[in-house]
Amino acid sequence: MNDSLEKCVGCFLRYRSLPHEISPFPEKKVFSMGITPNVEIHDENDFLTFLDSYMQRIDFNKTGIMLSGGIDSVMLAAYMPKGSYAFTIEYPEMEGVDEAERAKYYADKFGLKLIKVPVTFEDVLKYQDTLMEAKGQPLATIEIGIYKMSLEAKKYGLDSLLTGMGGDGLFGGFFNLLSKDWKNEEFVKRFTYVEPSLVMKKPIDTLSFFEKYYGQPFYNMNGFLDDIESEYTLSYFLNPTQTAGIKLLSPYEHCIRKFEIDRETFKVGLEKILLRKSFYKHCGFEFEGRKFAFPRPTEYWLKLYDEKLDDMFYVDSYDKLTTPEQKWVLYTTNHFVGILKNEF
């Protein structure tokens, strides 16, 4: 069990996810939308034709939307009937950037009923075990909020939630990655969250996520993002929604990109040009804002955390980490180790 556990821990620290074949719970579900992408998108006309058809088939008496204020979800919100429900996450324990403000701006513009879902450290403590046991893995921070949002949606009589998930991969939202070609070692370093040897006393590392896409002279980044990153990002949404009993509707997952992404647009601060054109064509006004990662109060949460690190980690592991995201990965991995040791 020790070698197997340490291999799992090393893999999650590095990438925030586990290949199913090394999961300590191989009988747990493999997260899949059950969708085979079959809609080719060459231009905005193709995309709008698809989206018009898709959204017309939805029962909005039973369907709400996860609205972040980013263009992926706002594009979908523009199609919803007035009075439909939109849900957004807010973090009352954190000052600064608040995605709920942008969500409210567009909810008001489209006449949607916005429900703000506050997420606190109490919610982390309340829901993390349920979600980890359902997933068979540690968690991304967003899973706590999506689970609470899904429970809230059920209170309003809804059984489905729309999501803009998949928009980054389809329209070129990974602008920090797509703006250049990466050498193999350079890409692995860029995508590593926590170097296992930094915090583990006896790391048994795995680069299985990355090695399949090694290339010469550059890493096959698009293959990695399409096959690996999209699959594990999917689990961040499907685990909490399915655990709560909510169906996830993800229109972008049906699409196949058949257009070129112009890297030059990244240099002037723009991304997802085709989606922006589609938004303007449908709404008659331009989308305001560009993509950035909304912060979460992980630094504050971890100040409230007093769970002892497992013996497999160095006692000063948190001191070696520099970002709140890294510290969350260690936090959730350590808690998952505790669950595993109780299981076995």
mmCIF file of all heavy atoms in Angstrom, residues 169-197:
data_model
loop_
_atom_site.group_PDB
_atom_site.id
_atom_site.type_symbol
_atom_site.label_atom_id
_atom_site.label_comp_id
_atom_site.label_asym_id
_atom_site.label_seq_id
_atom_site.Cartn_x
_atom_site.Cartn_y
_atom_site.Cartn_z
ATOM 1 N N GLY A 169 -10.714 25.211 -24.294
ATOM 2 C CA GLY A 169 -10.113 24.314 -25.273
ATOM 3 C C GLY A 169 -10.613 24.578 -26.683
ATOM 4 O O GLY A 169 -9.837 24.500 -27.650
ATOM 5 N N LEU A 170 -11.883 24.899 -26.822
ATOM 6 C CA LEU A 170 -12.465 25.097 -28.143
ATOM 7 C C LEU A 170 -12.012 26.402 -28.782
ATOM 8 O O LEU A 170 -11.655 26.440 -29.972
ATOM 9 C CB LEU A 170 -13.995 25.063 -28.045
ATOM 10 C CG LEU A 170 -14.773 25.294 -29.343
ATOM 11 C CD1 LEU A 170 -14.444 24.231 -30.381
ATOM 12 C CD2 LEU A 170 -16.285 25.317 -29.063
ATOM 13 N N PHE A 171 -12.003 27.472 -28.015
ATOM 14 C CA PHE A 171 -11.792 28.800 -28.597
ATOM 15 C C PHE A 171 -10.403 29.378 -28.353
ATOM 16 O O PHE A 171 -10.106 30.479 -28.819
ATOM 17 C CB PHE A 171 -12.850 29.766 -28.060
ATOM 18 C CG PHE A 171 -14.246 29.416 -28.474
ATOM 19 C CD1 PHE A 171 -15.148 28.904 -27.557
ATOM 20 C CD2 PHE A 171 -14.647 29.581 -29.785
ATOM 21 C CE1 PHE A 171 -16.442 28.570 -27.940
ATOM 22 C CE2 PHE A 171 -15.934 29.253 -30.183
ATOM 23 C CZ PHE A 171 -16.839 28.740 -29.264
ATOM 24 N N GLY A 172 -9.552 28.662 -27.620
ATOM 25 C CA GLY A 172 -8.197 29.172 -27.407
ATOM 26 C C GLY A 172 -8.087 30.068 -26.200
ATOM 27 O O GLY A 172 -7.524 31.166 -26.270
ATOM 28 N N GLY A 173 -8.611 29.588 -25.067
ATOM 29 C CA GLY A 173 -8.540 30.384 -23.848
ATOM 30 C C GLY A 173 -7.249 30.216 -23.078
ATOM 31 O O GLY A 173 -6.974 30.983 -22.168
ATOM 32 N N PHE A 174 -6.455 29.212 -23.440
ATOM 33 C CA PHE A 174 -5.194 28.980 -22.723
ATOM 34 C C PHE A 174 -4.110 29.889 -23.306
ATOM 35 O O PHE A 174 -3.083 29.429 -23.789
ATOM 36 C CB PHE A 174 -4.777 27.518 -22.849
ATOM 37 C CG PHE A 174 -5.774 26.541 -22.295
ATOM 38 C CD1 PHE A 174 -6.525 25.735 -23.132
ATOM 39 C CD2 PHE A 174 -5.970 26.420 -20.930
ATOM 40 C CE1 PHE A 174 -7.434 24.820 -22.632
ATOM 41 C CE2 PHE A 174 -6.883 25.512 -20.414
ATOM 42 C CZ PHE A 174 -7.618 24.719 -21.269
ATOM 43 N N PHE A 175 -4.338 31.202 -23.259
ATOM 44 C CA PHE A 175 -3.470 32.101 -24.004
ATOM 45 C C PHE A 175 -2.039 32.112 -23.462
ATOM 46 O O PHE A 175 -1.090 32.298 -24.213
ATOM 47 C CB PHE A 175 -4.046 33.511 -24.072
ATOM 48 C CG PHE A 175 -4.313 34.164 -22.745
ATOM 49 C CD1 PHE A 175 -3.368 34.940 -22.135
ATOM 50 C CD2 PHE A 175 -5.546 33.998 -22.117
ATOM 51 C CE1 PHE A 175 -3.623 35.547 -20.921
ATOM 52 C CE2 PHE A 175 -5.807 34.600 -20.904
ATOM 53 C CZ PHE A 175 -4.849 35.378 -20.299
ATOM 54 N N ASN A 176 -1.859 31.883 -22.149
ATOM 55 C CA ASN A 176 -0.505 31.853 -21.607
ATOM 56 C C ASN A 176 0.275 30.636 -22.098
ATOM 57 O O ASN A 176 1.502 30.657 -22.141
ATOM 58 C CB ASN A 176 -0.546 31.840 -20.074
ATOM 59 C CG ASN A 176 -0.934 33.185 -19.502
ATOM 60 O OD1 ASN A 176 -0.625 34.221 -20.091
ATOM 61 N ND2 ASN A 176 -1.619 33.190 -18.381
ATOM 62 N N LEU A 177 -0.437 29.581 -22.453
ATOM 63 C CA LEU A 177 0.201 28.380 -22.982
ATOM 64 C C LEU A 177 0.334 28.428 -24.497
ATOM 65 O O LEU A 177 1.365 28.062 -25.061
ATOM 66 C CB LEU A 177 -0.600 27.137 -22.579
ATOM 67 C CG LEU A 177 -0.638 26.790 -21.095
ATOM 68 C CD1 LEU A 177 -1.598 25.640 -20.850
ATOM 69 C CD2 LEU A 177 0.752 26.420 -20.594
ATOM 70 N N LEU A 178 -0.711 28.878 -25.169
ATOM 71 C CA LEU A 178 -0.751 28.816 -26.629
ATOM 72 C C LEU A 178 0.082 29.903 -27.302
ATOM 73 O O LEU A 178 0.297 29.846 -28.516
ATOM 74 C CB LEU A 178 -2.202 28.930 -27.107
ATOM 75 C CG LEU A 178 -3.140 27.794 -26.686
ATOM 76 C CD1 LEU A 178 -4.573 28.110 -27.113
ATOM 77 C CD2 LEU A 178 -2.698 26.469 -27.283
ATOM 78 N N SER A 179 0.565 30.855 -26.536
ATOM 79 C CA SER A 179 1.290 31.970 -27.132
ATOM 80 C C SER A 179 2.708 31.605 -27.562
ATOM 81 O O SER A 179 3.392 32.416 -28.179
ATOM 82 C CB SER A 179 1.341 33.151 -26.152
ATOM 83 O OG SER A 179 1.993 32.765 -24.958
ATOM 84 N N LYS A 180 3.167 30.388 -27.263
ATOM 85 C CA LYS A 180 4.533 29.983 -27.627
ATOM 86 C C LYS A 180 4.613 28.473 -27.790
ATOM 87 O O LYS A 180 3.689 27.745 -27.423
ATOM 88 C CB LYS A 180 5.529 30.431 -26.556
ATOM 89 C CG LYS A 180 5.268 29.837 -25.179
ATOM 90 C CD LYS A 180 6.370 30.184 -24.190
ATOM 91 C CE LYS A 180 7.632 29.374 -24.463
ATOM 92 N NZ LYS A 180 8.678 29.599 -23.439
ATOM 93 N N ASP A 181 5.720 28.001 -28.352
ATOM 94 C CA ASP A 181 6.039 26.574 -28.397
ATOM 95 C C ASP A 181 6.900 26.234 -27.189
ATOM 96 O O ASP A 181 7.768 27.016 -26.787
ATOM 97 C CB ASP A 181 6.790 26.224 -29.689
ATOM 98 C CG ASP A 181 5.919 26.374 -30.924
ATOM 99 O OD1 ASP A 181 4.770 25.911 -30.878
ATOM 100 O OD2 ASP A 181 6.395 26.952 -31.918
ATOM 101 N N TRP A 182 6.664 25.046 -26.622
ATOM 102 C CA TRP A 182 7.333 24.660 -25.392
ATOM 103 C C TRP A 182 8.202 23.425 -25.619
ATOM 104 O O TRP A 182 7.770 22.470 -26.252
ATOM 105 C CB TRP A 182 6.311 24.333 -24.301
ATOM 106 C CG TRP A 182 5.416 25.463 -23.920
ATOM 107 C CD1 TRP A 182 4.332 25.922 -24.606
ATOM 108 C CD2 TRP A 182 5.527 26.282 -22.756
ATOM 109 N NE1 TRP A 182 3.747 26.976 -23.950
ATOM 110 C CE2 TRP A 182 4.457 27.223 -22.806
ATOM 111 C CE3 TRP A 182 6.403 26.323 -21.674
ATOM 112 C CZ2 TRP A 182 4.258 28.184 -21.821
ATOM 113 C CZ3 TRP A 182 6.199 27.277 -20.691
ATOM 114 C CH2 TRP A 182 5.143 28.202 -20.770
ATOM 115 N N LYS A 183 9.400 23.454 -25.065
ATOM 116 C CA LYS A 183 10.225 22.251 -25.032
ATOM 117 C C LYS A 183 9.658 21.300 -23.977
ATOM 118 O O LYS A 183 8.945 21.732 -23.061
ATOM 119 C CB LYS A 183 11.674 22.600 -24.730
ATOM 120 C CG LYS A 183 12.329 23.425 -25.839
ATOM 121 C CD LYS A 183 13.784 23.739 -25.513
ATOM 122 C CE LYS A 183 14.423 24.537 -26.651
ATOM 123 N NZ LYS A 183 15.839 24.882 -26.364
ATOM 124 N N ASN A 184 9.975 20.016 -24.093
ATOM 125 C CA ASN A 184 9.362 19.014 -23.220
ATOM 126 C C ASN A 184 9.533 19.338 -21.745
ATOM 127 O O ASN A 184 8.558 19.419 -20.984
ATOM 128 C CB ASN A 184 9.955 17.630 -23.520
ATOM 129 C CG ASN A 184 9.603 17.139 -24.910
ATOM 130 O OD1 ASN A 184 8.550 17.473 -25.443
ATOM 131 N ND2 ASN A 184 10.477 16.350 -25.515
ATOM 132 N N GLU A 185 10.782 19.530 -21.309
ATOM 133 C CA GLU A 185 11.045 19.769 -19.891
ATOM 134 C C GLU A 185 10.446 21.095 -19.433
ATOM 135 O O GLU A 185 9.978 21.236 -18.302
ATOM 136 C CB GLU A 185 12.559 19.754 -19.623
ATOM 137 C CG GLU A 185 13.235 18.419 -19.876
ATOM 138 C CD GLU A 185 13.455 18.128 -21.355
ATOM 139 O OE1 GLU A 185 13.250 19.059 -22.187
ATOM 140 O OE2 GLU A 185 13.810 16.978 -21.685
ATOM 141 N N GLU A 186 10.442 22.055 -20.325
ATOM 142 C CA GLU A 186 9.901 23.376 -20.017
ATOM 143 C C GLU A 186 8.397 23.288 -19.754
ATOM 144 O O GLU A 186 7.883 23.902 -18.808
ATOM 145 C CB GLU A 186 10.184 24.288 -21.212
ATOM 146 C CG GLU A 186 9.813 25.734 -21.023
ATOM 147 C CD GLU A 186 10.057 26.553 -22.268
ATOM 148 O OE1 GLU A 186 9.991 26.001 -23.387
ATOM 149 O OE2 GLU A 186 10.285 27.778 -22.126
ATOM 150 N N PHE A 187 7.682 22.511 -20.566
ATOM 151 C CA PHE A 187 6.241 22.377 -20.392
ATOM 152 C C PHE A 187 5.922 21.639 -19.098
ATOM 153 O O PHE A 187 5.003 22.019 -18.367
ATOM 154 C CB PHE A 187 5.620 21.644 -21.580
ATOM 155 C CG PHE A 187 4.122 21.589 -21.526
ATOM 156 C CD1 PHE A 187 3.359 22.641 -22.005
ATOM 157 C CD2 PHE A 187 3.455 20.499 -20.976
ATOM 158 C CE1 PHE A 187 1.963 22.612 -21.940
ATOM 159 C CE2 PHE A 187 2.069 20.454 -20.910
ATOM 160 C CZ PHE A 187 1.325 21.515 -21.393
ATOM 161 N N VAL A 188 6.653 20.562 -18.813
ATOM 162 C CA VAL A 188 6.418 19.810 -17.581
ATOM 163 C C VAL A 188 6.603 20.710 -16.367
ATOM 164 O O VAL A 188 5.788 20.701 -15.434
ATOM 165 C CB VAL A 188 7.356 18.589 -17.497
ATOM 166 C CG1 VAL A 188 7.261 17.923 -16.127
ATOM 167 C CG2 VAL A 188 7.002 17.581 -18.592
ATOM 168 N N LYS A 189 7.641 21.519 -16.380
ATOM 169 C CA LYS A 189 7.885 22.436 -15.264
ATOM 170 C C LYS A 189 6.761 23.461 -15.154
ATOM 171 O O LYS A 189 6.287 23.760 -14.047
ATOM 172 C CB LYS A 189 9.225 23.146 -15.451
ATOM 173 C CG LYS A 189 9.597 24.059 -14.297
ATOM 174 C CD LYS A 189 10.981 24.681 -14.500
ATOM 175 C CE LYS A 189 11.339 25.587 -13.332
ATOM 176 N NZ LYS A 189 12.689 26.196 -13.524
ATOM 177 N N ARG A 190 6.299 23.982 -16.297
ATOM 178 C CA ARG A 190 5.227 24.980 -16.298
ATOM 179 C C ARG A 190 3.929 24.418 -15.735
ATOM 180 O O ARG A 190 3.180 25.103 -15.050
ATOM 181 C CB ARG A 190 5.020 25.483 -17.732
ATOM 182 C CG ARG A 190 3.711 26.229 -18.002
ATOM 183 C CD ARG A 190 3.613 27.529 -17.225
ATOM 184 N NE ARG A 190 2.376 28.233 -17.527
ATOM 185 C CZ ARG A 190 1.180 27.953 -17.020
ATOM 186 N NH1 ARG A 190 1.048 26.937 -16.169
ATOM 187 N NH2 ARG A 190 0.127 28.663 -17.328
ATOM 188 N N PHE A 191 3.655 23.126 -16.007
ATOM 189 C CA PHE A 191 2.383 22.545 -15.619
ATOM 190 C C PHE A 191 2.437 21.822 -14.281
ATOM 191 O O PHE A 191 1.423 21.294 -13.825
ATOM 192 C CB PHE A 191 1.885 21.583 -16.710
ATOM 193 C CG PHE A 191 0.509 21.893 -17.198
ATOM 194 C CD1 PHE A 191 0.312 22.733 -18.284
ATOM 195 C CD2 PHE A 191 -0.607 21.382 -16.566
ATOM 196 C CE1 PHE A 191 -0.956 23.038 -18.734
ATOM 197 C CE2 PHE A 191 -1.884 21.669 -17.000
ATOM 198 C CZ PHE A 191 -2.061 22.504 -18.085
ATOM 199 N N THR A 192 3.585 21.776 -13.649
ATOM 200 C CA THR A 192 3.699 21.118 -12.347
ATOM 201 C C THR A 192 3.218 22.061 -11.245
ATOM 202 O O THR A 192 3.683 23.195 -11.141
ATOM 203 C CB THR A 192 5.156 20.700 -12.083
ATOM 204 O OG1 THR A 192 5.513 19.661 -12.997
ATOM 205 C CG2 THR A 192 5.329 20.193 -10.652
ATOM 206 N N TYR A 193 2.290 21.578 -10.429
ATOM 207 C CA TYR A 193 1.785 22.394 -9.327
ATOM 208 C C TYR A 193 2.736 22.351 -8.134
ATOM 209 O O TYR A 193 3.161 23.377 -7.637
ATOM 210 C CB TYR A 193 0.381 21.929 -8.932
ATOM 211 C CG TYR A 193 -0.661 22.388 -9.907
ATOM 212 C CD1 TYR A 193 -0.930 21.664 -11.060
ATOM 213 C CD2 TYR A 193 -1.351 23.580 -9.716
ATOM 214 C CE1 TYR A 193 -1.867 22.105 -11.981
ATOM 215 C CE2 TYR A 193 -2.290 24.028 -10.628
ATOM 216 C CZ TYR A 193 -2.542 23.280 -11.765
ATOM 217 O OH TYR A 193 -3.452 23.720 -12.678
ATOM 218 N N VAL A 194 3.032 21.132 -7.663
ATOM 219 C CA VAL A 194 3.975 20.973 -6.558
ATOM 220 C C VAL A 194 4.967 19.885 -6.948
ATOM 221 O O VAL A 194 4.569 18.748 -7.234
ATOM 222 C CB VAL A 194 3.262 20.578 -5.250
ATOM 223 C CG1 VAL A 194 4.291 20.333 -4.143
ATOM 224 C CG2 VAL A 194 2.268 21.657 -4.819
ATOM 225 N N GLU A 195 6.246 20.226 -6.970
ATOM 226 C CA GLU A 195 7.272 19.223 -7.226
ATOM 227 C C GLU A 195 7.294 18.236 -6.051
ATOM 228 O O GLU A 195 7.536 18.625 -4.906
ATOM 229 C CB GLU A 195 8.636 19.894 -7.365
ATOM 230 C CG GLU A 195 9.808 18.937 -7.490
ATOM 231 C CD GLU A 195 9.663 18.017 -8.688
ATOM 232 O OE1 GLU A 195 9.367 18.508 -9.795
ATOM 233 O OE2 GLU A 195 9.843 16.795 -8.490
ATOM 234 N N PRO A 196 6.970 16.944 -6.288
ATOM 235 C CA PRO A 196 6.832 15.996 -5.176
ATOM 236 C C PRO A 196 8.044 15.918 -4.259
ATOM 237 O O PRO A 196 7.908 15.819 -3.038
ATOM 238 C CB PRO A 196 6.585 14.659 -5.893
ATOM 239 C CG PRO A 196 5.949 15.043 -7.182
ATOM 240 C CD PRO A 196 6.608 16.325 -7.590
ATOM 241 N N SER A 197 9.242 15.982 -4.825
ATOM 242 C CA SER A 197 10.449 15.859 -4.000
ATOM 243 C C SER A 197 10.617 17.034 -3.044
ATOM 244 O O SER A 197 11.387 16.958 -2.084
ATOM 245 C CB SER A 197 11.686 15.738 -4.900
ATOM 246 O OG SER A 197 11.826 16.900 -5.707
#
